[in-house]
Amino acid sequence: MLYREEELSFLVGSVGKERVLFGTDHPFTVSNPSLMMNNVNKIDHEIRDYIMFKNALEIIKIHL
């Protein structure tokens, strides 16, 4: 879990935007998805799209 914009930028820079997914710990309450969303919304739109849905679509083999 990443709660700071710097951590997210470091992760994307280290492993690439194609290897990062947004997720929650639902139904557990140990995470703060809204804080993560705030960080994701601050980064480049192309990277955000990969994190929010493009990588998940690739995993489940759905091509738009």
Side-chain angles (χ1 to χ4, degrees):
M1 276 183 268
L2 306 172
Y3 291 114
R4 295 187 338 196
E5 183 180 356
E6 301 84 27
E7 295 169 339
L8 179 59
S9 295
F10 177 79
L11 178 63
V12 171
S14 297
V15 301
K17 65 182 183 273
E18 297 85 3
R19 295 183 171 262
V20 180
L21 291 171
F22 177 79
T24 68
D25 286 331
H26 185 75
F28 305 103
T29 58
V30 296
S31 68
N32 188 340
S34 62
L35 183 56
M36 177 62 178
M37 279 299 305
N38 288 335
N39 290 333
V40 170
N41 285 330
K42 293 177 184 177
I43 63 175
D44 178 78
H45 294 301
E46 179 187 359
I47 296 172
R48 183 187 65 210
D49 288 349
Y50 275 88
I51 293 171
M52 294 307 296
F53 69 92
K54 286 185 177 181
N55 291 332
L57 293 175
E58 183 64 30
I59 289 170
I60 59 176
K61 304 296 183 208
I62 296 178
H63 300 283
L64 300 178

